[in-house]
Amino acid sequence: MIKAITGTRDILPSDIPKWNYLEKIVSEVFRNFNYKEIRTPVFEETSLFARGIGEATDIVSKEMYTFIDRGGTSVTLKPEMTAGVVRALIEHSLDKKQSVNKLYYVSPMFRQERPQAGRFRQFHQFGAEALGSHDPMLDSEMIIMAYDIINKLGLKNLTVKINSLGIPQSRENYKSVLKKFLEKHFNSLSPESKKRFDTNILRIFDSKEEQDQKIMADAPLLINYLDDESIQHFEKVKSYLSSAGINYDVDPKLVRGLDYYSHTTFEIVSGSVGSQSSLCGGGRYDMLAKELGGGDIPGVGFAAGIERILLACENENSLNLPEEKIDLYIVSLDKNLLVETFKLALELRRRGLTVETDYLSRSVKAKMREANKYNAKFVLMIGGDEFQKGELVLKNMSNGEQHSIGKNELENLVNKIKGL
RNA sequence: GUGACCAUAGCUCAGUUUGGUUAGAGCAUCUGGUUGUGGCCCAGAAGGUCAUGGGUUCAAGUCCCAUUGGUCACCCCA
């Protein structure tokens, strides 16, 4: 039997209602904040991600789905959306048509990691990017939108974590301070962290190794080495969040794995999922557009994992989805009336009702059982004496009452059901 | 990429410890419980090469090995 590729899943009809529900909330919230949807290709030239995300990052160095196409071009299935959105913005000069571009997306992403709870190789994110302004109001807006969406899905048990990485210069200054500090403890670091000492020293803060955490507890913090401008920016972000009534934890150790971040970084973490508890992450990336050959266009954005959010919703049982119902099930009482049944179903469907009927020539009892299984609001029976008199039998499935109606009363019936 | 655990019906699982007739249950599916009527209930049916391949044994769903797949965790991230 051929099965879905490791780390990919089918979203079956029974899963769709919760996806639709989430997507509806996502588009509503983004519309309220006046973000416009953008859709970029599923694959891009590999160099876009290598340059945009950073060669040294885990995503680029070991997680990308990269292949050579028949034209000899190295292409990669998108592992995240920001690089593609910024590429599209530059390519179509959106920044010149409008000074601030506020964009959102919902899209599959691809990373070749070992699957586990809340992690897949094809997964889905929604997210937003605001380009063209340094205003800390936008940093806050990102966190608030993400929080509002997650909140509207009924999730509790959330923590908003924020940090500032400052501007590149202050970060470089800090790195040399941190390097000096860690040199003294180098031999006590875990093997992984020894590697990170050279590749990405800030990430040692993320280590879960006890020996590393012990050392880092006393390490100098970036937040104490920020320049005045970065501090100002961070303070404004925090005050906007407070004014929005959002509780947050400043986590000086929140370093994220993408190279392009500067100033604000944030995450929303859930206590209701497994080990992969980060529902959403983002930050400011003022240097990225330039890095990709565009103008000096500052940006800030976030991405949220749909599978992870839905997993949290299931674990908290937070979604109150309405029962799936159909409007009408048509039961034919007479094998000779199949064409009439077909036409009746068609007419009612074209008038806007959700109508089902039997395709297996089953008994009336079996048809009624199926009508019940579909949660039909009404059953319309066609055949017998009533049909001879030009009438149909209408049964209300919630109270069991039934009566005859004339064929010319269908318009009333449609309006009545639509009005329910 | 590393590690641990798991694999019996469409789904959830008994049965494996202590090997022994035709491998069970619940749910789901289908049919029926008198002419043309659902839910609840009742009766019945269908559905399994016990993941695959090898080994031990008189005998393997059960013990051993390998392979494949899955789950969870690490790394890292949504």
Side-chain angles (χ1 to χ4, degrees):
Chain A
M1 181 173 53
I2 297 177
K3 303 208 284 185
I5 298 279
T6 298
T8 69
R9 351 198 69 180
D10 299 305
I11 301 166
L12 297 172
S14 55
D15 302 319
I16 290 294
K18 56 184 189 242
W19 281 76
N20 286 159
Y21 183 73
L22 178 143
E23 285 161 9
K24 183 164 164 272
I25 288 174
V26 166
S27 61
E28 280 172 2
V29 169
F30 284 137
R31 193 179 59 234
N32 291 147
F33 282 82
N34 195 31
Y35 281 66
K36 305 296 183 192
E37 186 176 2
I38 185 168
R39 302 186 190 193
T40 67
V42 167
F43 59 105
E44 299 265 6
E45 257 183 55
T46 302
S47 57
L48 171 68
F49 302 118
R51 281 168 59 190
I53 302 170
E55 299 275 8
T57 59
D58 281 19
I59 291 178
V60 172
S61 63
K62 56 182 199 190
E63 294 170 5
M64 294 204 302
Y65 275 101
T66 297
F67 57 97
I68 306 296
D69 73 8
R70 287 168 193 272
T73 307
S74 178
V75 299
T76 295
L77 303 182
K78 58 186 173 189
E80 58 105 54
M81 193 72 175
T82 305
V85 169
V86 172
R87 194 223 81 233
L89 177 106
I90 296 167
E91 182 172 339
H92 302 284
S93 302
L94 299 183
D95 57 309
K96 294 180 177 115
K97 295 171 184 159
Q98 188 171 325
S99 45
V100 176
N101 280 277
K102 303 206 296 181
L103 304 166
Y104 85 90
Y105 59 84
V106 180
S107 172
M109 305 293 164
F110 306 85
R111 291 181 203 173
Q112 188 161 6
E113 299 180 87
R114 201 67 171 262
Q116 69 187 75
R119 168 184 289 164
F120 307 96
R121 290 185 172 181
Q122 174 175 343
F123 59 102
H124 298 77
Q125 292 184 330
F126 65 84
E129 316 286 350
L131 293 127
S133 167
H134 290 98
D135 196 327
M137 194 182 284
L138 287 170
D139 304 41
S140 317
E141 209 166 277
M142 290 298 155
I143 299 168
I144 292 164
M145 288 190 295
Y147 185 83
D148 280 3
I149 290 167
I150 292 169
N151 198 41
K152 281 192 176 185
L153 291 165
L155 290 179
K156 315 283 181 203
N157 209 356
L158 301 169
T159 310
V160 177
K161 291 157 72 170
I162 62 170
N163 188 26
S164 174
L165 302 179
I167 57 173
Q169 289 92 317
S170 58
R171 193 155 68 247
E172 287 310 314
N173 293 343
Y174 165 72
K175 273 188 189 171
S176 56
V177 173
L178 183 62
K179 209 156 201 169
K180 258 181 206 149
F181 170 82
L182 285 174
E183 269 165 5
K184 289 182 284 187
H185 301 277
F186 188 82
N187 289 330
S188 315
L189 287 173
S190 68
E192 270 305 311
S193 289
K194 280 177 180 161
K195 270 188 242 162
R196 283 187 284 225
F197 184 85
D198 291 317
T199 55
N200 192 345
I201 195 163
L202 294 182
R203 295 216 58 95
I204 299 177
F205 278 116
D206 280 346
S207 174
K208 287 171 190 167
E209 299 288 335
E210 207 177 317
Q211 64 204 92
D212 294 337
Q213 289 188 350
K214 231 179 213 168
I215 296 167
M216 299 315 278
D218 299 323
L221 295 173
L222 172 57
I223 206 157
N224 298 324
Y225 289 81
L226 292 181
D227 57 293
D228 288 347
E229 188 201 324
S230 296
I231 292 169
Q232 286 290 310
H233 187 96
F234 194 41
E235 289 305 317
K236 283 179 190 157
V237 171
K238 288 192 284 188
S239 72
Y240 284 128
L241 287 179
S242 301
S243 74
I246 298 213
N247 293 319
Y248 56 85
D249 290 348
V250 174
D251 181 354
K253 297 176 182 173
L254 179 67
V255 177
R256 298 182 48 75
L258 295 85
D259 279 359
Y260 51 59
Y261 286 124
S262 58
H263 286 294
T264 318
T265 58
F266 68 92
E267 250 177 48
I268 299 177
V269 176
S270 166
S272 304
V273 293
S275 169
Q276 304 306 317
S277 58
S278 174
L279 301 186
C280 144
R284 178 162 280 281
Y285 48 87
D286 290 345
M287 317 303 288
L288 179 61
K290 202 164 210 174
E291 182 64 36
L292 294 177
D296 206 351
I297 309 164
V300 60
F302 80 93
I306 296 179
E307 284 85 353
R308 262 177 215 183
I309 290 172
L310 291 178
L311 179 62
C313 289
E314 270 157 43
N315 291 345
E316 292 189 28
N317 198 17
S318 73
L319 294 183
N320 212 346
L321 297 174
E323 213 179 358
E324 298 259 289
K325 283 179 187 288
I326 67 170
D327 292 317
L328 194 70
Y329 189 98
I330 300 180
V331 171
S332 169
L333 304 173
D334 183 342
K335 286 189 176 72
N336 298 315
L337 292 177
L338 289 178
V339 173
E340 289 300 321
T341 304
F342 177 79
K343 280 164 63 184
L344 182 60
L346 182 61
E347 180 182 349
L348 292 167
R349 285 164 171 166
R350 284 180 168 166
R351 286 172 184 260
L353 295 187
T354 301
V355 176
E356 187 54 284
T357 189
D358 166 65
Y359 300 102
L360 295 171
S361 308
R362 289 184 289 196
S363 67
V364 170
K365 186 193 200 79
K367 288 170 183 167
M368 290 301 293
R369 279 180 172 161
E370 187 169 66
N372 192 62
K373 200 176 70 185
Y374 280 129
N375 265 317
K377 295 174 195 163
F378 293 91
V379 163
L380 199 53
M381 282 171 259
I382 174 170
D385 298 343
E386 292 89 346
F387 185 72
Q388 298 304 320
K389 288 190 285 179
E391 291 176 342
L392 301 160
V393 178
L394 179 70
K395 177 162 186 169
N396 182 328
M397 293 296 276
S398 58
N399 59 19
E401 288 171 11
Q402 70 179 54
H403 59 90
S404 297
I405 63 167
K407 282 193 224 164
N408 53 1
E409 290 177 63
L410 284 181
E411 174 116 33
N412 287 341
L413 176 65
V414 169
N415 291 335
K416 181 184 160 197
I417 295 178
K418 276 185 176 173
L420 287 180

